[in-house]
Amino acid sequence: MKTLLYGLITGVLFGFLLQKGRVLRYDKQLGALRLLDLTIVKFMLSSVVVAMIGVYLLVDLGLAKLSVKSLLLGANILGGLLFGLGWGLLGYCPGTSVGALAEGRWDAVFGILGMLVGAGLYAEAFPYLKTTVLTWGNYGKLTLPQLLGVSPWVVIPLFAAGAVFLFRWLEKRGL
Amino acid sequence: MAQGKNGGWSPYLAGGLSGLVSVFSVWLAGKFLGASTTFAKTAGMLEGLAAPERVSRLEYFLKNTPQVDWQWMFVAGILVGALLAALSDRSFAWEPLPPMWRSRFGESRWPRWLAAFVGGTVAMFGARLADG
């Protein structure tokens, strides 16, 4: 019960910020994919940099554990390509589609219905995928610092600096 | 508060704060943010209404039990939070077609609905496959 309440509160805060950042809209999502307006990239990278520092601090303090997903090259690449294709058509992400609906962009309803169908189809296809695509290029649970053989605190500042340079460049270009 | 052209907050500020939200979630609830699993579980719940036996036999739904959990409430919360934000600065707009779509494809609604539906289907299949 407490877990469910945490989920709701976290969602309310996150949805509030997504809307205030104006990243829920189709025009913003397609704007990013068409490299016309990179508001979403600014939002996402800012979020990632803050979360990266905070979560690794928690891990170092023994207050949290990382939840690392397996690197499955076949599934990651094929799934990523399909996701990109679908995202370009839909113009909303799974999480932002409900937020877009909440701010009145009700074409998102059809996207949400489509996503429910897509998830159902995946469940049907899972037994087949499990013995094929999901076995291709399985490198197990792997993080970038592990792959490079360095401390996370080498990767984090470099990543953050890269983000700041990108932000400055985007602002100069008016993107 | 940093105000953008459209009355919103700076994406750096809103994005940075959303990063803080995710840090607190990991700290206090041990939960990392995500949304796509919720669509799979909801699909399972809806299928369960029509064909409960079939759902109980599908391996995928044995691994991902179709029930309301932390992430389901998180996605429901996004709806509530976005609604509150949109009402707070009057940016709520009941809009059947996105402006960029309308300027390119015109006023007809069916093509947009079809593109959104097909796009959603393909995107979610891909997201589940990539374990996103």
Side-chain angles (χ1 to χ4, degrees), chain A residues 70-79 81-82 122 125 127-140, chain B residues 125 129-131:
Chain A
S70 291
L71 174 62
L72 301 161
L73 279 184
N76 295 154
I77 293 170
L78 204 64
L81 289 171
L82 285 174
Y122 183 78
Y128 170 74
L129 295 169
K130 194 182 66 168
T131 57
T132 53
V133 188
L134 290 165
T135 63
W136 302 343
N138 184 353
Y139 290 85
Chain B
F125 194 93
L129 180 58
D131 201 12

Short mmCIF file of all heavy atoms in Angstrom, two decimals, chain A residues 70-79 81-82 122 125 127-140, chain B residues 125 129-131:
data_model
loop_
_atom_site.label_atom_id
_atom_site.label_comp_id
_atom_site.label_asym_id
_atom_site.label_seq_id
_atom_site.Cartn_x
_atom_site.Cartn_y
_atom_site.Cartn_z
N SER A 70 20.20 -6.28 -18.58
CA SER A 70 21.16 -6.98 -19.42
C SER A 70 21.37 -6.28 -20.76
O SER A 70 20.43 -5.72 -21.32
CB SER A 70 20.69 -8.41 -19.69
OG SER A 70 20.76 -9.16 -18.50
N LEU A 71 22.61 -6.31 -21.22
CA LEU A 71 22.90 -5.83 -22.56
C LEU A 71 22.60 -6.99 -23.52
O LEU A 71 23.31 -7.98 -23.55
CB LEU A 71 24.37 -5.42 -22.67
CG LEU A 71 24.88 -5.04 -24.05
CD1 LEU A 71 24.13 -3.83 -24.61
CD2 LEU A 71 26.37 -4.74 -24.03
N LEU A 72 21.50 -6.85 -24.26
CA LEU A 72 21.10 -7.86 -25.23
C LEU A 72 21.14 -7.19 -26.60
O LEU A 72 20.16 -6.57 -27.02
CB LEU A 72 19.67 -8.33 -24.96
CG LEU A 72 19.38 -8.96 -23.58
CD1 LEU A 72 17.89 -8.95 -23.29
CD2 LEU A 72 19.92 -10.37 -23.55
N LEU A 73 22.28 -7.28 -27.26
CA LEU A 73 22.46 -6.48 -28.48
C LEU A 73 21.34 -6.67 -29.50
O LEU A 73 20.81 -5.71 -30.03
CB LEU A 73 23.81 -6.81 -29.13
CG LEU A 73 25.02 -6.08 -28.52
CD1 LEU A 73 26.27 -6.41 -29.32
CD2 LEU A 73 24.79 -4.58 -28.46
N GLY A 74 20.95 -7.95 -29.75
CA GLY A 74 19.91 -8.21 -30.75
C GLY A 74 18.61 -7.54 -30.38
O GLY A 74 18.03 -6.78 -31.17
N ALA A 75 18.17 -7.76 -29.15
CA ALA A 75 16.88 -7.22 -28.71
C ALA A 75 16.95 -5.70 -28.56
O ALA A 75 16.00 -4.99 -28.91
CB ALA A 75 16.48 -7.86 -27.39
N ASN A 76 18.08 -5.18 -28.05
CA ASN A 76 18.20 -3.74 -27.84
C ASN A 76 18.17 -2.99 -29.18
O ASN A 76 17.50 -1.97 -29.32
CB ASN A 76 19.50 -3.40 -27.10
CG ASN A 76 19.53 -3.94 -25.67
OD1 ASN A 76 20.60 -4.18 -25.12
ND2 ASN A 76 18.38 -4.15 -25.06
N ILE A 77 18.90 -3.53 -30.16
CA ILE A 77 18.99 -2.83 -31.46
C ILE A 77 17.66 -2.96 -32.22
O ILE A 77 17.10 -1.97 -32.67
CB ILE A 77 20.17 -3.38 -32.30
CG1 ILE A 77 21.50 -3.00 -31.62
CG2 ILE A 77 20.11 -2.83 -33.72
CD1 ILE A 77 22.71 -3.67 -32.23
N LEU A 78 17.16 -4.18 -32.33
CA LEU A 78 15.91 -4.38 -33.06
C LEU A 78 14.75 -3.65 -32.37
O LEU A 78 13.94 -2.96 -33.01
CB LEU A 78 15.61 -5.88 -33.14
CG LEU A 78 14.73 -6.32 -34.29
CD1 LEU A 78 15.42 -6.04 -35.62
CD2 LEU A 78 14.41 -7.81 -34.17
N GLY A 79 14.69 -3.78 -31.06
CA GLY A 79 13.64 -3.10 -30.29
C GLY A 79 13.77 -1.59 -30.41
O GLY A 79 12.77 -0.88 -30.55
N LEU A 81 15.06 0.10 -32.91
CA LEU A 81 14.64 0.52 -34.25
C LEU A 81 13.12 0.55 -34.36
O LEU A 81 12.54 1.51 -34.89
CB LEU A 81 15.21 -0.43 -35.31
CG LEU A 81 16.73 -0.34 -35.54
CD1 LEU A 81 17.20 -1.47 -36.44
CD2 LEU A 81 17.10 1.01 -36.15
N LEU A 82 12.47 -0.48 -33.83
CA LEU A 82 11.00 -0.52 -33.86
C LEU A 82 10.42 0.63 -33.03
O LEU A 82 9.47 1.29 -33.45
CB LEU A 82 10.49 -1.86 -33.32
CG LEU A 82 10.62 -3.06 -34.24
CD1 LEU A 82 10.20 -4.34 -33.50
CD2 LEU A 82 9.75 -2.87 -35.48
N TYR A 122 3.29 -8.47 -27.95
CA TYR A 122 4.61 -8.89 -27.47
C TYR A 122 4.49 -10.11 -26.56
O TYR A 122 5.28 -11.04 -26.65
CB TYR A 122 5.33 -7.75 -26.75
CG TYR A 122 6.71 -8.14 -26.33
CD1 TYR A 122 7.75 -8.16 -27.27
CD2 TYR A 122 6.99 -8.56 -25.03
CE1 TYR A 122 9.02 -8.57 -26.92
CE2 TYR A 122 8.26 -8.98 -24.67
CZ TYR A 122 9.28 -8.98 -25.62
OH TYR A 122 10.52 -9.39 -25.27
N ALA A 125 4.11 -13.07 -28.66
CA ALA A 125 5.31 -13.43 -29.41
C ALA A 125 6.47 -13.85 -28.50
O ALA A 125 7.45 -14.42 -28.98
CB ALA A 125 5.76 -12.24 -30.28
N PRO A 127 7.26 -16.30 -26.32
CA PRO A 127 7.88 -17.64 -26.34
C PRO A 127 8.81 -17.84 -27.54
O PRO A 127 9.86 -18.47 -27.41
CB PRO A 127 6.68 -18.59 -26.42
CG PRO A 127 5.55 -17.81 -25.84
CD PRO A 127 5.79 -16.38 -26.23
N TYR A 128 8.43 -17.28 -28.69
CA TYR A 128 9.28 -17.38 -29.88
C TYR A 128 10.51 -16.48 -29.77
O TYR A 128 11.64 -16.90 -30.05
CB TYR A 128 8.45 -17.02 -31.13
CG TYR A 128 9.28 -16.87 -32.37
CD1 TYR A 128 9.80 -17.99 -33.03
CD2 TYR A 128 9.58 -15.60 -32.89
CE1 TYR A 128 10.58 -17.86 -34.15
CE2 TYR A 128 10.36 -15.47 -34.03
CZ TYR A 128 10.87 -16.60 -34.66
OH TYR A 128 11.65 -16.46 -35.76
N LEU A 129 10.29 -15.24 -29.31
CA LEU A 129 11.40 -14.28 -29.21
C LEU A 129 12.46 -14.75 -28.21
O LEU A 129 13.65 -14.54 -28.38
CB LEU A 129 10.87 -12.91 -28.80
CG LEU A 129 9.95 -12.23 -29.82
CD1 LEU A 129 9.27 -11.02 -29.19
CD2 LEU A 129 10.74 -11.82 -31.06
N LYS A 130 11.97 -15.42 -27.16
CA LYS A 130 12.85 -15.86 -26.08
C LYS A 130 13.95 -16.81 -26.57
O LYS A 130 15.06 -16.80 -26.06
CB LYS A 130 12.00 -16.58 -25.02
CG LYS A 130 12.70 -16.79 -23.70
CD LYS A 130 11.81 -17.55 -22.73
CE LYS A 130 11.57 -18.97 -23.23
NZ LYS A 130 10.95 -19.84 -22.22
N THR A 131 13.61 -17.61 -27.59
CA THR A 131 14.59 -18.57 -28.09
C THR A 131 15.36 -18.03 -29.30
O THR A 131 16.25 -18.70 -29.81
CB THR A 131 13.90 -19.88 -28.51
OG1 THR A 131 12.92 -19.58 -29.51
CG2 THR A 131 13.22 -20.55 -27.34
N THR A 132 14.99 -16.84 -29.76
CA THR A 132 15.68 -16.27 -30.93
C THR A 132 16.32 -14.93 -30.58
O THR A 132 17.40 -14.88 -30.02
CB THR A 132 14.70 -16.11 -32.12
OG1 THR A 132 13.56 -15.37 -31.68
CG2 THR A 132 14.25 -17.45 -32.64
N VAL A 133 15.63 -13.84 -30.91
CA VAL A 133 16.19 -12.48 -30.76
C VAL A 133 16.78 -12.25 -29.37
O VAL A 133 17.85 -11.65 -29.22
CB VAL A 133 15.10 -11.42 -31.03
CG1 VAL A 133 15.72 -10.03 -31.07
CG2 VAL A 133 14.36 -11.71 -32.31
N LEU A 134 16.08 -12.72 -28.34
CA LEU A 134 16.51 -12.45 -26.97
C LEU A 134 17.76 -13.23 -26.55
O LEU A 134 18.26 -13.06 -25.44
CB LEU A 134 15.36 -12.72 -25.99
CG LEU A 134 14.20 -11.70 -26.08
CD1 LEU A 134 12.96 -12.21 -25.37
CD2 LEU A 134 14.61 -10.35 -25.53
N THR A 135 18.26 -14.08 -27.45
CA THR A 135 19.51 -14.80 -27.13
C THR A 135 20.69 -14.21 -27.90
O THR A 135 21.83 -14.60 -27.67
CB THR A 135 19.41 -16.30 -27.50
OG1 THR A 135 19.23 -16.40 -28.93
CG2 THR A 135 18.24 -16.97 -26.81
N TRP A 136 20.42 -13.30 -28.83
CA TRP A 136 21.49 -12.78 -29.69
C TRP A 136 22.29 -11.69 -28.96
O TRP A 136 21.74 -10.67 -28.57
CB TRP A 136 20.90 -12.18 -30.98
CG TRP A 136 20.10 -13.17 -31.79
CD1 TRP A 136 20.13 -14.54 -31.68
CD2 TRP A 136 19.16 -12.87 -32.82
NE1 TRP A 136 19.26 -15.11 -32.58
CE2 TRP A 136 18.65 -14.11 -33.30
CE3 TRP A 136 18.70 -11.69 -33.42
CZ2 TRP A 136 17.70 -14.19 -34.31
CZ3 TRP A 136 17.76 -11.76 -34.43
CH2 TRP A 136 17.26 -13.01 -34.88
N GLY A 137 23.57 -11.89 -28.85
CA GLY A 137 24.45 -10.86 -28.27
C GLY A 137 24.14 -10.55 -26.82
O GLY A 137 24.00 -9.39 -26.47
N ASN A 138 24.03 -11.59 -26.00
CA ASN A 138 23.74 -11.38 -24.58
C ASN A 138 25.04 -11.19 -23.79
O ASN A 138 25.82 -12.13 -23.64
CB ASN A 138 22.95 -12.57 -24.04
CG ASN A 138 22.53 -12.38 -22.59
OD1 ASN A 138 22.94 -11.42 -21.94
ND2 ASN A 138 21.71 -13.28 -22.10
N TYR A 139 25.27 -9.98 -23.30
CA TYR A 139 26.49 -9.69 -22.56
C TYR A 139 26.23 -9.56 -21.05
O TYR A 139 27.09 -9.12 -20.30
CB TYR A 139 27.15 -8.41 -23.09
CG TYR A 139 27.73 -8.60 -24.47
CD1 TYR A 139 26.93 -8.46 -25.60
CD2 TYR A 139 29.06 -8.97 -24.65
CE1 TYR A 139 27.44 -8.67 -26.88
CE2 TYR A 139 29.58 -9.19 -25.92
CZ TYR A 139 28.77 -9.03 -27.02
OH TYR A 139 29.27 -9.24 -28.27
N GLY A 140 25.00 -9.90 -20.63
CA GLY A 140 24.68 -9.83 -19.21
C GLY A 140 24.57 -8.41 -18.70
O GLY A 140 24.58 -7.45 -19.48
N PHE B 125 5.78 -2.58 -28.95
CA PHE B 125 6.41 -3.87 -29.23
C PHE B 125 7.94 -3.71 -29.14
O PHE B 125 8.63 -4.51 -28.51
CB PHE B 125 6.00 -4.40 -30.61
CG PHE B 125 6.34 -5.84 -30.83
CD1 PHE B 125 5.41 -6.83 -30.57
CD2 PHE B 125 7.60 -6.21 -31.29
CE1 PHE B 125 5.73 -8.17 -30.76
CE2 PHE B 125 7.92 -7.55 -31.48
CZ PHE B 125 6.99 -8.53 -31.22
N LEU B 129 10.57 -5.32 -26.42
CA LEU B 129 11.67 -6.15 -26.94
C LEU B 129 13.02 -5.65 -26.42
O LEU B 129 13.85 -6.43 -25.98
CB LEU B 129 11.64 -6.14 -28.48
CG LEU B 129 12.72 -6.96 -29.19
CD1 LEU B 129 12.64 -8.42 -28.77
CD2 LEU B 129 12.58 -6.83 -30.70
N ALA B 130 13.20 -4.34 -26.44
CA ALA B 130 14.47 -3.76 -25.98
C ALA B 130 14.53 -3.71 -24.46
O ALA B 130 15.54 -3.29 -23.89
CB ALA B 130 14.65 -2.37 -26.57
N ASP B 131 13.47 -4.12 -23.79
CA ASP B 131 13.37 -4.09 -22.32
C ASP B 131 13.51 -2.67 -21.80
O ASP B 131 14.17 -2.43 -20.80
CB ASP B 131 14.42 -5.02 -21.70
CG ASP B 131 14.06 -5.42 -20.26
OD1 ASP B 131 12.91 -5.16 -19.86
OD2 ASP B 131 14.91 -5.97 -19.57
#
